[in-house]
């Protein structure tokens, strides 16, 4: 867990940047949640992940751009509060700023909180004078009635200061020009600040804060800020309330899932008819004259597997991810982490685990990587092992589909969507409960130790950019997850078709495998098809549903008169009829699949990430097998209880 390991991405020795064909190296630094990665993206045109909360960037990112015929390599460092910090990612950023080879340092500061962020600027100026200050979020400052005199600020610091609103691209051209002037030497710093080497850390900090306060009072004036503060304060009193905070949290996530379920039905049906019904016929026609096995492998295996992924997953993801991102951009997710902090502390875990858990709701591999923000190796291991209980992108479609087919159908048609959404929310809450319970168990047994104390900086509320959020969430999340699912579904479809059409002793290989797994599956309230699908889908959770459907049609008890692995002859049959009629699924099957989806082992990508982060076979195996054992235990108990009633 140390950052000193040679292979660790945060090893300072690995942070050395090779300029390559670029003329200059530019480092982007700053306090967490100042829009640093957004500035990086605006400069390079890349889409490094950014969010309205601290700690989004835990490792460096590199990109480049050209300006006036010169090439610039840009390095985005993790956020750092102070060059005298001792935390993991801050220590790496500090080491690079002090010892790394670069031509210009762009220090991004928040225009709404200038005084606090000037401390880092002053410390960096003690290390290097080749600095440009990006006064970011000026649009937000204007809404708060905060005016920063950039000329006064530049004179006080002795370096260029550029007002930017990186989310809107405002000021980026001026920032490039200022970087060029510093890199080429046409601008020279006019202020020499002697290092405070003779002072203790506390005395040096007092000197820096006093200077920051003096400069801020000289450069900043406010107009009508109290109104905005009252609005933000009123929101925080509700959203972080001990009781109402949890009520609002449940209602908001319920609304997100309800919109997702209700809105995805029609486009899913259209895509099903277009891709699965009509598209499959077109593909078979195109392969007319080819050997039967080639037609079956390509049209019935690869194509249908891919088409099912798109039809089932695209509509709900295209609705869910933008809604989730809007909450993130607004600044709500850190409030959720704040509400959960007390619970994590009671479970013997680090409060920052609530942040890494929220990252896991997008991707568990990203959540595991984000645990670098936790300094304590013991608490970081707890966060790594339990991140699997955050429902990742690939598992949402399974939960939403099961909730719609089995839970929603228990209610009258008018309330089916609401009940289905409530069931998904309930599973998500259960995931939080499992995270806390397992964290508590680990902290009381193999990972005993004292709980660290930390402070969480709540970011300001920011009006989401709706159109931009929809665009970026579809490009960065929906299509990224869909592309990964399609890449995995194509070979999985081929494998399923092959094992469904290769006969061994009078039965297909798939039938042998399913029948062999059936006793275990039935004991868990599932079946052999589901367990085999999870084996095939180890590379990615996104292909669980397509794999289940393909296998159900291949070896299910209902004869649809089709070759193994073919779904076309189902005609207008819905997914529900496939599972219930061909698979013999019941309400217990649907409920236990939701539980198994929540608890089962991480995907192979996450397992590999855990290994890279821990470099420990023991903890990688623990993080992989512990959730699987819990999935078996919980589904077995649920099935047993259901059969006894």
């Amino acid at each position: 867990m140390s950052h000193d390991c040679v292979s660790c991405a945060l090893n300072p020795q690995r942070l050395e940047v090779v300029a390559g064909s670029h003329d200059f190296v530019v480092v982007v630094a700053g306090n967490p949640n100042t829009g640093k990665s957004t500035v990086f993206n605006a400069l390079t045109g890349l889409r490094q992940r950014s969010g309205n909360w601290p700690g989004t960037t835990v490792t460096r990112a590199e990109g480049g751009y050209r300006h006036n015929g010169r090439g610039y390599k840009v390095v985005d460092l993790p956020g750092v509060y102070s060059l005298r910090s001792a935390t993991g990612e801050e220590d790496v950023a500090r080491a690079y700023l002090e010892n790394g080879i670069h031509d210009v340092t762009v220090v991004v500061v928040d225009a709404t909180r200038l005084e606090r962020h000037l401390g880092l600027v002053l410390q960096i100026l003690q290390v290097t004078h080749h600095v440009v200050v990006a006064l970011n979020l000026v649009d937000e400052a204007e809404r708060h009635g905060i005016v920063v005199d950039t000329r006064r600020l530049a004179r006080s610091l002795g370096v260029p200061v550029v007002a930017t609103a990186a989310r809107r691209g405002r000021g980026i051209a001026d920032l490039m020009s200022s970087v060029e002037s510093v890199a080429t030497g046409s601008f020279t710093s006019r202020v020499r600040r002697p290092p405070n080497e003779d002072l203790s850390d506390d005395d040096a900090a007092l000197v820096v804060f006093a200077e920051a306060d003096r400069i801020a009072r000289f450069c900043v004036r406010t107009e009508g800020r109290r109104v905005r503060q009252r609005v933000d304060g009123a929101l925080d009193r509700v959203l972080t309330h001990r009781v109402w905070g949890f009520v609002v949290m449940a209602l908001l996530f319920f609304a997100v899932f309800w919109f997702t379920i209700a809105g995805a039905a029609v486009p899913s049906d259209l895509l099903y008819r277009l891709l699965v019904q009509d598209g499959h016929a077109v593909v078979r026609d195109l392969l007319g004259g080819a050997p039967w096995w080639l037609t079956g492998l390509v049209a019935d295996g690869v194509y249908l597997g891919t088409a099912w992924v798109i039809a089932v997953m695209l509509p709900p993801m295209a609705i869910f991810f933008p809604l989730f991102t809007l909450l993130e951009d607004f600044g709500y997710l850190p409030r959720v982490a704040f509400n959960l902090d007390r619970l994590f502390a009671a479970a013997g875990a680090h409060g920052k685990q609530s942040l890494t858990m929220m990252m896991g709701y997008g991707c568990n591999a990203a959540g595991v990587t984000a645990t670098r923000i936790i300094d304590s190796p013991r608490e970081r291991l707890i966060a790594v092992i339990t991140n699997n209980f955050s429902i990742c992108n690939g598992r949402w479609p399974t939960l939403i589909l099961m909730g719609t087919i089995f839970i929603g159908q228990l209610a009258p048609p008018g309330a089916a969507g609401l009940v289905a959404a409530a069931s998904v929310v309930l599973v998500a809450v259960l995931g939080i409960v499992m995270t806390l319970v397992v964290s508590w168990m680990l902290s009381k047994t193999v990972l005993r130790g004292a709980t660290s104390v930390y402070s969480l900086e709540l970011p300001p509320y920011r009006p989401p950019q709706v159109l931009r959020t929809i665009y970026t969430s579809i490009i960065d999340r929906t299509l990224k997850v869909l592309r990964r699912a399609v890449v995995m579904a194509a070979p999985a479809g081929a494998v399923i078709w092959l094992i469904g059409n290769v006969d061994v002793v009078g039965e297909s290989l798939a039938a042998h495998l399913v029948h062999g797994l059936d006793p275990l599956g039935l004991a868990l309230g599932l079946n052999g098809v589901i367990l085999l699908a999870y084996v095939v889908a180890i590379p990615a959770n996104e292909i669980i549903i397509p794999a289940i459907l393909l296998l159900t049609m291949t070896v299910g008890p209902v004869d649809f008169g089709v070759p193994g692995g073919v779904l076309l002859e189902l005609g207008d049959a819905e997914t529900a009829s496939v599972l219930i009629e061909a698979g013999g699924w019941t309400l217990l099957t649907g409920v236990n699949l939701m539980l198994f989806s929540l608890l089962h082992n991480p995907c192979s990508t996450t397992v590999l990430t855990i290994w890279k982060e821990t470099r420990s076979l023991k903890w990688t195996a623990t993080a992989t097998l512990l959730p699987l054992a819990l999935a078996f235990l919980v589904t077995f108990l649920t099935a047993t209880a259901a059969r006894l009633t």
Side-chain angles (χ1 to χ4, degrees):
M1 304 297 289
S2 168
H3 295 316
D4 293 333
C5 61
V6 174
S7 59
C8 178
L10 291 179
N11 188 310
Q13 295 178 352
R14 293 191 62 205
L15 282 174
E16 206 59 69
V17 175
V18 178
S21 60
H22 298 86
D23 299 293
F24 303 105
V25 175
V26 179
V27 172
V28 180
N31 285 179
N33 203 38
T34 56
K36 187 168 53 58
S37 293
T38 308
V39 170
F40 170 84
N41 291 339
L43 286 171
T44 63
L46 299 177
R47 290 195 294 270
Q48 172 78 354
R49 175 170 167 72
S50 60
N52 185 15
W53 55 358
T56 305
T57 304
V58 295
T59 186
R60 72 176 184 189
E62 294 183 15
Y65 69 90
R66 296 194 68 80
H67 182 70
N68 289 338
R70 295 186 176 92
Y72 297 82
K73 171 166 277 191
V74 186
V75 181
D76 183 19
L77 292 179
V80 54
Y81 286 105
S82 167
L83 292 189
R84 296 176 182 268
S85 299
T87 59
E89 76 278 14
E90 290 182 332
D91 192 44
V92 172
R94 180 189 63 183
Y96 187 81
L97 288 170
E98 291 181 340
N99 305 312
I101 299 175
H102 49 277
D103 300 288
V104 181
T105 300
V106 174
V107 187
V108 182
V109 299
D110 184 346
T112 66
R113 306 178 181 196
L114 183 62
E115 178 185 345
R116 187 175 348 150
H117 294 187
L118 277 178
L120 179 64
V121 177
L122 296 172
Q123 289 181 336
I124 291 177
L125 285 174
Q126 293 172 359
V127 177
T128 174
H129 299 155
H130 298 161
V131 170
V132 176
V133 173
L135 184 69
N136 198 32
L137 301 172
V138 290
D139 53 342
E140 189 172 312
E142 291 165 356
R143 286 195 300 273
H144 285 73
I146 300 172
V147 179
V148 180
D149 189 325
T150 54
R151 292 186 177 180
R152 285 188 172 187
L153 184 58
R155 283 201 306 272
S156 300
L157 297 173
V159 296
V161 175
V162 182
T164 63
R167 290 201 303 170
R168 304 176 186 278
R170 176 176 162 187
I172 297 303
D174 293 337
L175 181 60
M176 290 180 175
S177 297
S178 294
V179 169
E180 179 184 37
S181 66
V182 174
T184 58
S186 59
F187 178 91
T188 304
S189 171
R190 293 185 294 273
V191 176
R192 301 291 180 182
R193 299 180 184 281
N196 297 326
E197 294 178 349
D198 298 332
L199 300 178
S200 66
D201 285 354
D202 290 342
D203 291 340
L206 289 175
V207 171
V208 167
F209 289 145
E211 179 71 357
D213 177 66
R214 185 192 67 78
I215 294 175
R217 282 190 284 106
F218 179 61
C219 302
V220 179
R221 71 174 190 275
T222 58
E223 298 172 351
R225 189 180 181 186
R226 292 181 179 177
V227 175
R228 296 292 306 187
Q229 285 180 330
R230 283 199 295 269
V231 172
D232 289 1
L235 281 173
D236 271 339
R237 280 193 291 277
V238 175
L239 297 181
T240 61
H241 190 272
R242 284 177 176 269
V243 177
W244 295 113
F246 286 94
V247 174
V248 172
M249 181 174 67
L251 290 175
L252 280 176
F253 284 117
F254 174 83
V256 168
F257 292 127
W258 182 78
F259 276 118
T260 301
I261 291 172
V266 173
S268 285
D269 287 343
L270 291 174
L271 283 174
Y272 175 82
R273 286 196 290 272
L274 176 66
L275 298 176
V276 177
Q277 293 181 345
D278 301 336
H280 183 250
V282 172
V283 173
R284 287 189 71 89
D285 288 342
L286 292 174
L287 293 171
W292 71 269
W293 59 268
L294 182 60
T295 301
L297 183 66
V298 175
D300 304 338
V302 174
Y303 176 77
L304 277 181
T306 306
W308 264 106
V309 168
I310 297 173
V312 172
M313 294 183 60
L314 179 58
M317 287 194 304
I319 298 173
F320 172 76
F321 290 139
L323 292 176
F324 196 78
T325 307
L326 286 174
L327 291 178
E328 183 180 8
D329 284 354
F330 179 61
Y332 177 65
L333 294 190
R335 270 74 186 180
V336 174
F338 177 85
N339 293 335
L340 296 175
D341 175 51
R342 292 188 295 272
L343 301 178
F344 278 98
H350 197 290
K352 287 183 179 178
Q353 186 176 334
S354 54
L355 293 174
T356 64
M357 184 186 72
M358 299 306 295
M359 292 287 284
Y361 278 101
C363 172
N364 291 135
V368 169
T369 304
T371 61
R372 293 174 183 173
I373 64 176
I374 299 175
D375 306 318
S376 162
R378 181 191 73 85
E379 292 166 329
R380 188 182 171 203
L381 270 176
I382 293 176
V384 167
I385 294 170
T386 57
N387 194 267
N388 180 68
F389 302 124
S390 299
I391 302 168
C392 69
N393 293 335
R395 286 184 278 177
W396 289 115
T398 301
L399 298 176
I400 292 171
L401 193 61
M402 292 300 103
T404 303
I405 293 175
F406 292 99
I407 310 298
Q409 296 307 313
L410 298 176
L418 296 175
V419 173
S423 69
V424 178
V425 172
L426 184 61
V427 173
V429 171
L430 182 59
I432 297 174
V433 172
M434 289 302 298
T435 300
L436 295 169
V437 170
V438 175
S439 296
W440 180 82
M441 292 174 60
L442 291 170
S443 68
K444 298 298 180 184
T445 54
V446 295
L447 290 172
R448 286 191 295 268
T451 302
S452 303
V453 177
Y454 90 109
S455 59
L456 171 65
E457 178 185 5
L458 291 178
Y461 294 103
R462 290 169 182 161
Q465 295 178 293
V466 178
L467 295 179
R468 176 181 172 274
T469 296
I470 292 174
Y471 171 78
T472 55
S473 63
I474 288 178
I475 296 298
D476 291 343
R477 291 189 170 181
T478 304
L479 294 184
K480 183 178 180 180
V481 172
L482 187 65
R483 182 173 62 250
R484 184 181 170 208
V486 167
V487 169
M488 295 296 177
V495 169
I496 293 171
W497 185 89
L498 285 172
I499 63 176
N501 286 274
V502 173
D503 287 347
V504 179
V505 196
E507 269 193 326
S508 68
L509 183 57
H512 283 291
L513 293 171
V514 168
H515 294 156
L517 291 169
D518 258 341
L520 175 60
L522 294 175
L524 301 176
L526 305 170
N527 57 40
V529 166
I530 296 174
L531 295 185
L532 180 57
Y534 271 94
V535 173
V536 175
I538 284 177
N541 289 307
E542 289 87 344
I543 62 173
I544 289 294
I545 291 300
I548 287 174
L549 293 171
L550 287 169
L551 286 169
T552 299
M553 287 307 304
T554 300
V555 301
V558 176
D559 182 9
F560 283 78
V562 299
V566 179
L567 286 171
L568 178 64
E569 280 73 6
L570 280 175
D572 294 331
E574 300 291 340
T575 302
S577 65
V578 175
L579 299 177
I580 296 172
E581 294 177 17
W585 287 32
T586 64
L587 174 62
L588 175 63
T589 316
V591 169
N592 271 15
L593 179 55
M594 295 178 82
L595 294 173
F596 196 83
S597 178
L598 168 67
L599 300 172
H600 76 91
N601 54 283
C603 69
S604 58
T605 302
T606 304
V607 173
L608 181 60
T609 303
I610 294 171
W611 162 252
K612 288 182 177 178
E613 293 298 317
T614 64
R615 293 291 171 184
S616 166
L617 181 60
K618 171 187 173 183
W619 294 117
T620 302
T622 301
T624 303
L625 299 179
L626 179 61
L628 187 61
L630 286 172
F632 283 161
L633 176 63
V634 170
T635 51
F636 174 75
L637 293 176
T638 305
T640 302
R643 286 163 182 153
L644 291 176
T645 56

